[in-house]
Amino acid sequence: MKVLVIGGGGREHALVWKLAQSPRITKLYCAPGNGGIALDAECVPADVKNLDSLVALATKLQPDLTVVGPELPLTLGVVDEFQSHGWPIFGPTRAAAQLESSKSFAKEFMQRHRIPTAHYAICKTVDEVRATLPHFHTPIVVKADGLAAGKGVVVAKTKEEAASVAVEMLSGKMVGAAGTLVVLEECLTGDELSFLVFSDGERVVPLVAAQDHKRVGDGDSGPNTGGMGAYSTATIVDDKMRDWLVHHIAEPVIAGMKAEGAEYKGVLYCGLMMTARGPMVLEFNCRFGDPETQPILMRLESDLVEALEASVGGRVSEGDFRWSPDASACVVIASAGYPGTFEAGKKIAGLESVGAMERVKVFHAATSRRDDVYFTSGGRVLGVTARAPDLATAVERAYAAVSMIGFEGMHYRKDIAARALKK
Ligand code: AMP
Ligand code: GLY
């Protein structure tokens, strides 16, 4: 079968790498892909922000299955569009993807369905923000309603700061149209957990859980990023907690969406805070996490194609996934300046030596290749991922590989999974 993966980051490289292992796939395309992905799939140019370009591509390639990496095409309705042409595609429709594309929709949905989440208020105007702020304790989380490429959430230490961030968002200066509504939220504390499930619109099957590292610096310092590293172990969530999360969060979401006429198929990413009051939802994403997908798929032993097809075909079951008991860890190497402005085009050294290491895979997030030499082409450049029987060894192996790689200005966190290893 012919499979098309849409996107071109580290998450898509992990998807392509795993799919390439399936005996059922005869041809694998990635649109647009990147320098590293080109070794595992045929990269084809595409503008993922433009549905017409994706439809034109599928018309040409006639894929038997399409998997979408980034949220933007999903929230624009790529699934609805492909379905109308009869092309099987994994993911939620535009209406179902609102769980990610509108934070106010997600908050009100959670309230309607009694899904645990932080207290909140939705404000349309600066006056509403000022009238609402006295009801919150500090710190206060201010969120833009729409998609803001990771720039739409600010944890404000004071009410004055919260007010000025909300004013900036509502004025359109900060995140454009994504800020026409703002959500004020109680600030939660605890460990964050990325809990991803597959659904066929009705049933839910959890993937192994992972933890991301959102801040740019060690010890969770500095600004938020797309994610600087992640790990997954069998012990991150025990069976009892896993069942609780399925019954109290994932299943009510899928049942609620169906009841509201927006059946949710695909992967649902529940971003959780494990608070003293119990697990609470920080956000939903309608797609695989990046970089969580890298360590998660490193642990998947069964054929990913079967699980994707089960979701599309309405028959997901636990049997679609067989997981390794091993632990895995991914360290993201970023360009100087990331998450702010950065320079691209730096030559990357050391990839061949890492290629020879066992149970280590370097997923390319933003690279280009010329004459067998790789160059950086974005903020997050590589996701160096390793697997081992225990987390400490997986982390050690990942950092051993990182130490062999070099490019001008590269930076990475030195403390991926460090908190879990201390426990
Ligand atoms: P979101 O885009 O909603 O996932 O938010 C991005 C990040 O902001 C999360 O991964 C958390 O680290 C942080 N965050 C979001 N909401 C809250 C909250 N209510 N309390 C504390 N931190 C939050
Ligand atoms: N790593 C966070 C995300 O994928 O949204």
Side-chain angles (χ1 to χ4, degrees):
M1 68 191 283
K2 285 186 284 184
V3 177
L4 168 65
V5 175
I6 295 176
R11 162 185 53 207
E12 289 76 20
H13 194 186
L15 287 164
V16 159
W17 167 80
K18 189 68 210 170
L19 288 169
Q21 296 166 18
S22 170
R24 297 197 36 219
I25 294 186
T26 49
K27 185 74 197 174
L28 193 51
Y29 298 100
C30 189
N34 66 39
I37 292 176
L39 291 185
D40 295 310
E42 181 180 335
C43 293
V44 283
D47 176 4
V48 302
K49 298 186 283 302
N50 180 333
L51 285 193
D52 291 340
S53 133
L54 298 175
V55 167
L57 184 64
T59 305
K60 200 167 107 201
L61 304 178
Q62 294 292 322
D64 299 304
L65 178 65
T66 298
V67 189
V68 189
E71 62 276 16
L72 196 60
L74 293 166
T75 61
L76 291 174
V78 68
V79 169
D80 314 57
E81 192 70 39
F82 274 40
Q83 279 174 348
S84 74
H85 287 84
W87 300 316
I89 180 165
F90 172 84
T93 58
R94 179 188 172 135
Q98 275 187 97
L99 280 175
E100 174 166 1
S101 64
S102 168
K103 293 198 189 289
S104 60
F105 172 86
K107 291 301 276 190
E108 290 180 326
F109 174 86
M110 285 189 271
Q111 192 169 47
R112 284 196 293 280
H113 297 279
R114 303 215 171 100
I115 294 163
T117 189
H119 294 303
Y120 72 99
I122 297 167
C123 301
K124 287 196 274 312
T125 63
V126 175
D127 286 345
E128 279 179 26
V129 172
R130 293 198 200 288
T132 309
L133 278 173
H135 302 294
F136 281 86
H137 295 292
T138 53
I140 300 170
V141 185
V142 187
K143 297 184 175 183
D145 183 58
L147 294 182
K151 296 186 182 74
V153 177
V154 175
V155 181
K157 290 194 186 66
T158 63
K159 292 190 182 182
E160 293 69 41
E161 187 191 350
S164 77
V165 168
V167 168
E168 284 276 294
M169 282 182 180
L170 287 167
S171 73
K173 276 189 219 140
M174 199 166 153
V175 287
T180 30
L181 285 180
V182 297
V183 178
L184 302 179
E185 228 178 79
E186 163 198 21
C187 187
L188 301 174
T189 52
D191 275 333
E192 282 190 47
L193 187 75
S194 304
F195 188 69
L196 280 69
V197 301
F198 264 41
S199 177
D200 56 12
E202 210 163 302
R203 281 164 293 256
V204 164
V205 176
L207 310 193
V208 291
Q211 188 171 54
D212 188 14
H213 294 65
K214 289 243 163 66
R215 303 294 190 102
V216 73
D218 288 353
D220 294 331
S221 58
N224 260 332
T225 67
M228 292 299 289
Y231 71 91
S232 175
T233 66
T235 50
I236 192 168
V237 167
D238 64 22
D239 289 353
K240 197 168 149 215
M241 177 57 81
R242 187 187 95 126
D243 289 349
W244 193 95
L245 295 173
V246 167
H247 296 318
H248 293 85
I249 293 176
E251 282 176 351
V253 173
I254 299 304
M257 292 300 282
K258 189 176 165 101
E260 295 189 10
E263 189 182 61
Y264 192 103
K265 283 186 173 194
V267 60
L268 174 71
Y269 168 134
C270 307
L272 308 175
M273 188 75 92
M274 309 305 269
T275 77
R277 283 186 280 155
M280 300 213 174
V281 177
L282 294 177
E283 61 160 346
F284 292 117
N285 293 318
C286 59
R287 50 164 176 88
F288 288 98
D290 190 352
E292 292 93 323
T293 302
Q294 289 82 314
I296 289 176
L297 290 185
M298 238 12 236
R299 296 186 56 203
L300 182 63
E301 291 188 328
S302 48
D303 191 339
L304 179 60
V305 176
E306 307 281 339
L308 296 168
E309 283 190 320
S311 165
V312 176
R315 47 179 166 77
V316 301
S317 76
E318 292 272 352
D320 298 326
F321 297 92
R322 198 175 61 254
W323 299 104
S324 159
D326 279 4
S328 54
C330 169
V331 178
V332 170
I333 308 183
S335 296
Y338 177 80
T341 46
F342 52 82
E343 277 178 43
K346 309 291 180 196
K347 188 173 166 182
I348 308 173
L351 290 172
E352 323 70 46
S353 332
V354 177
M357 288 176 76
E358 262 187 57
R359 296 187 188 178
V360 173
K361 177 72 191 171
V362 179
F363 294 114
H364 290 232
T367 64
S368 60
R369 188 166 65 135
R370 255 178 286 137
D371 305 327
D372 287 339
V373 179
Y374 289 93
F375 296 88
T376 66
S377 64
R380 291 191 291 173
V381 176
L382 301 168
V384 181
T385 312
R387 201 182 120 172
D390 62 88
L391 183 60
T393 312
V395 169
E396 210 177 283
R397 209 170 263 173
Y399 280 112
V402 168
S403 73
M404 295 162 87
I405 295 171
F407 61 83
E408 189 192 320
M410 76 175 214
H411 67 97
Y412 58 91
R413 276 183 68 160
K414 318 273 185 308
D415 64 345
I416 300 305
R419 276 207 301 170
L421 290 171
K422 268 199 209 114
K423 274 185 190 161

